[in-house]
Amino acid sequence: MYSGAIPVDPFDLVIFGGTGDLARRKILPALFRRFCAGQFAEGARITGAARAGMDAEGYRAFVADVLRDTADPQAGDDTMLGRFLGTVDYVAIDATGENGWAELAARMTEDRARAFFFSVRPRLFGDLAERLHQHGLASDRARIVVEKPFGHDLASARDLNATLATHFHESQIFRIDHYLGKETVQNLMAVRFGNMLFEPLWNSQYVDHIQITVAETVGVGGRGDYYDRAGAIRDMMQNHLMQLLCLIAMEPPAKFDPDAVRDEKLKVIRALDPVQPHHIVRGQYNARPEGAGGGALPGYREEVGNPRSKTESYIALRTHISNWRWAGTPFYLRTGKRLVARSSVINVMFKETPHSIFGQEAGRHANLLSIRLQPNEGITLQVTIKEPGPGGMRLIDVPLDMTFAEALGPASGRAPDAYERLIVDVLRGNQTLFMRGDEVEAAWAWIDPIIAGWTSRGEVPKPYDIGSTGPSDAEQLMTRDDRKWRGINP
Ligand code: BG6
């Protein structure tokens, strides 16, 4: 059961870029669902802010259309929708000029939490921060929310951090990595630190290696322009996969509090070894021809409109964490688009028993803990047992399987979208699930040399087929170490 429905005190939330893609796809639907869940106290106010010269009525009609398009069943309930729209306002504003700022400031005179969503291009962050300050809106109770990508390398991330720090304290800056808002990603911490069972085994003495896979079936879609400059390394690896790596590898924080958790994550990033060139594989998907199963689909280069693109849509790498807990345990990370299935899973492969009392014929066996983040969220522990029957002591591996939806039954309810959780945390001022500035910079400091290496060696990504598991070189990354990727389950 999602028990986060304790009402949030009246607040002001302003969405800069209120008519943009993120507002439409994520922010507005998330706000609406939390409103329907009874989480907004009387007096909550949501203000769309954008350049478009529309009025509040026009914006409410826009929001109503957006919500109806999301096919949220509650958007069909006119009373509920009407009540939500009653909280919505609009101001036409110019991030780089004076237009609209006095009007916004005049509306926000109460002393209460204020959240400003910077759902605009990063080059406007500085202007927005400056204007908020000039108009007295950057009070202690103000929070700003920024989306990834947070910079495109270490230098730009530092610049952005410095820009935001001019008028806002770190405790007011909420950097979103939406993976941290996913229920199952938060569950990673519950599984690790809520059970005595795993933690004593969670180290290089017992764990052979760990695999983190985030596979997608979607292509680059309409974001070709952005994606071709980012690639899988900046779009997914620098943030989502590194965050998963941190949660799976970090030391137990003293408490579940923002800085305690983020300090431990930062230590993991700082302990990462540089990635060796032969421990990394990049891929780019080919077009799928007419007549192939599933029909024709454009290849990566066509999709981004850049016939010579050297950007990767797939990446797999092996790394190590040089600390007492993990020295000697490889971590394998992979992510890609247009793969055979959508599957985010973390596999913790334990070592084989030091000695088999059952002799050679019993084979080699090792426990595997699979944590499925999406879809079909759950946990499977592979356990070795005796094969039933009179055939002697023959061992087989069987799954001890828990799918959360089945285990929790109707109480599991609808899993809230990551943004629902994250927006509520912003309004409450809880930064545990947001990236701290030093964390982001440390992540770039690890990523930058990888990208610089590709550039200096003039490397191009390996082609792979749509609907495959990625380039064959990625399989070799494992087989060379006498290991194998555990399937992207279709
Ligand atoms: C985004 C990336 O951050 O995460 C996208 O920019 C990617 O390229 C998306 O598709 C994946 O998120 P999810 O929640 O669908 O796993």
Side-chain angles (χ1 to χ4, degrees):
M1 165 117 56
Y2 182 61
S3 59
I6 302 162
V8 182
D9 290 342
F11 60 84
D12 264 305
L13 185 143
V14 179
I15 313 169
F16 293 111
T19 51
D21 182 58
L22 188 72
R24 278 202 298 259
R25 279 190 307 111
K26 296 287 183 185
I27 305 172
L28 290 167
L31 287 167
F32 179 58
R33 290 199 197 113
R34 285 299 94 212
F35 177 85
C36 295
Q39 205 151 18
F40 294 170
E42 198 67 34
R45 195 165 42 207
I46 297 161
T47 305
R51 265 191 313 196
M54 62 169 92
D55 60 11
E57 262 332 293
Y59 189 61
R60 283 185 204 117
F62 164 86
V63 174
D65 284 347
V66 165
L67 296 176
R68 289 198 188 101
D69 280 355
T70 58
D72 197 310
Q74 281 169 298
D77 173 346
D78 282 344
T79 319
M80 188 60 94
L81 184 59
R83 282 181 46 220
F84 177 70
L85 294 177
T87 67
V88 174
D89 207 343
Y90 182 78
V91 59
I93 214 157
D94 186 356
T96 53
E98 275 310 311
N99 186 32
W101 287 96
E103 195 185 333
L104 183 66
R107 290 183 198 180
M108 303 181 108
T109 48
E110 298 103 319
D111 176 27
R112 50 167 154 166
R114 292 175 189 154
F116 299 99
F117 229 108
F118 285 12
S119 182
V120 295
R121 289 173 196 279
R123 66 180 160 76
L124 294 176
F125 287 3
D127 291 303
L128 289 178
E130 185 60 39
R131 305 269 163 207
L132 287 172
H133 169 71
Q134 274 172 10
H135 291 272
L137 293 168
S139 70
D140 287 354
R141 300 196 63 192
R143 287 145 207 170
I144 55 175
V145 189
V146 294
E147 264 291 323
K148 70 165 260 276
F150 196 84
H152 57 268
D153 57 12
L154 176 58
S156 55
R158 275 194 181 138
D159 284 352
L160 267 185
N161 276 334
T163 303
L164 298 180
T166 338
H167 299 302
F168 293 91
H169 186 260
E170 180 63 33
S171 63
Q172 297 175 280
I173 305 171
F174 288 70
R175 297 175 192 79
I176 287 196
D177 179 318
H178 79 281
Y179 264 57
L180 294 176
K182 287 182 189 272
E183 276 288 288
T184 45
V185 173
Q186 293 166 56
N187 209 9
L188 269 180
M189 284 183 275
V191 168
R192 277 197 62 195
F193 304 127
N195 294 287
M196 191 58 198
L197 186 61
F198 301 117
E199 206 48 29
L201 306 178
W202 216 255
N203 56 55
S204 59
Q205 201 183 336
Y206 297 101
V207 175
D208 177 75
H209 72 278
I210 293 183
Q211 306 179 2
I212 302 178
T213 297
V214 178
E216 298 185 279
T217 50
V218 292
V220 172
R223 301 155 71 226
D225 211 26
Y226 147 76
Y227 193 93
D228 204 39
R229 281 177 281 118
I233 194 157
R234 290 188 173 97
D235 185 51
M236 297 291 287
M237 188 63 77
Q238 188 269 348
N239 35 76
H240 305 327
L241 276 92
M242 287 186 75
Q243 289 295 322
L244 296 178
L245 173 67
C246 287
L247 296 179
I248 208 78
M250 70 184 184
E251 295 301 314
K255 35 186 178 166
F256 191 58
D257 116 333
D259 279 326
V261 171
R262 297 184 302 174
D263 285 348
E264 295 307 335
K265 289 199 298 173
L266 179 62
K267 285 184 209 159
V268 173
I269 302 175
R270 289 196 172 146
L272 284 172
D273 282 356
V275 181
Q276 302 303 316
H278 60 288
H279 285 159
I280 190 156
V281 176
R282 302 162 76 207
Q284 195 185 64
Y285 54 85
N286 292 322
R288 187 164 67 191
E290 199 66 62
L297 277 174
Y300 174 84
R301 290 179 174 186
E302 284 165 69
E303 228 177 322
V304 300
N306 177 4
R308 286 182 216 278
S309 174
K310 291 183 185 168
T311 303
E312 76 288 342
S313 55
Y314 175 99
I315 187 166
L317 61 82
R318 169 184 149 166
T319 185
H320 285 266
I321 300 172
S322 280
N323 64 15
W324 272 47
R325 184 187 284 262
W326 292 119
T329 302
F331 286 75
Y332 299 89
L333 278 56
R334 65 175 168 167
T335 183
K337 293 203 183 286
R338 287 271 190 246
L339 298 178
V340 60
R342 175 170 182 257
S343 170
S344 300
V345 58
I346 300 180
N347 285 315
V348 181
M349 191 80 222
F350 289 91
K351 289 188 173 167
E352 291 173 21
T353 49
H355 164 72
S356 170
I357 64 167
F358 305 110
Q360 297 233 319
E361 339 42 292
R364 297 165 63 182
H365 297 272
N367 302 117
L368 168 69
L369 178 71
S370 289
I371 307 170
R372 296 187 300 277
L373 304 175
Q374 62 186 30
N376 194 23
E377 293 80 358
I379 294 180
T380 303
L381 179 64
Q382 196 168 284
V383 188
T384 303
I385 61 165
K386 177 187 172 298
E387 189 180 48
M393 204 54 166
R394 291 167 62 91
L395 302 187
I396 51 168
D397 295 327
V398 289
L400 197 61
D401 190 25
M402 176 173 64
T403 298
F404 296 149
E406 284 168 17
L408 299 173
S412 67
R414 176 188 67 85
D417 180 76
Y419 275 81
E420 292 178 53
R421 165 73 199 240
L422 295 175
I423 289 174
V424 169
D425 281 357
V426 170
L427 297 172
R428 292 218 168 101
N430 181 351
Q431 290 186 306
T432 313
L433 302 177
F434 295 82
M435 294 181 295
R436 209 167 53 193
D438 51 3
E439 233 184 296
V440 178
E441 289 184 14
W444 281 121
W446 185 70
I447 292 285
D448 276 3
I450 301 177
I451 299 174
W454 294 338
T455 314
S456 69
R457 294 190 299 274
E459 274 180 29
V460 288
K462 310 274 187 219
Y464 66 94
D465 288 339
I466 291 178
S468 69
T469 56
S472 57
D473 289 27
E475 300 299 328
Q476 287 156 28
L477 188 68
M478 282 287 195
T479 49
R480 266 201 322 246
D481 294 349
D482 207 15
R483 297 185 172 108
K484 61 175 187 191
W485 291 107
R486 301 281 151 169
I488 303 173
N489 306 319

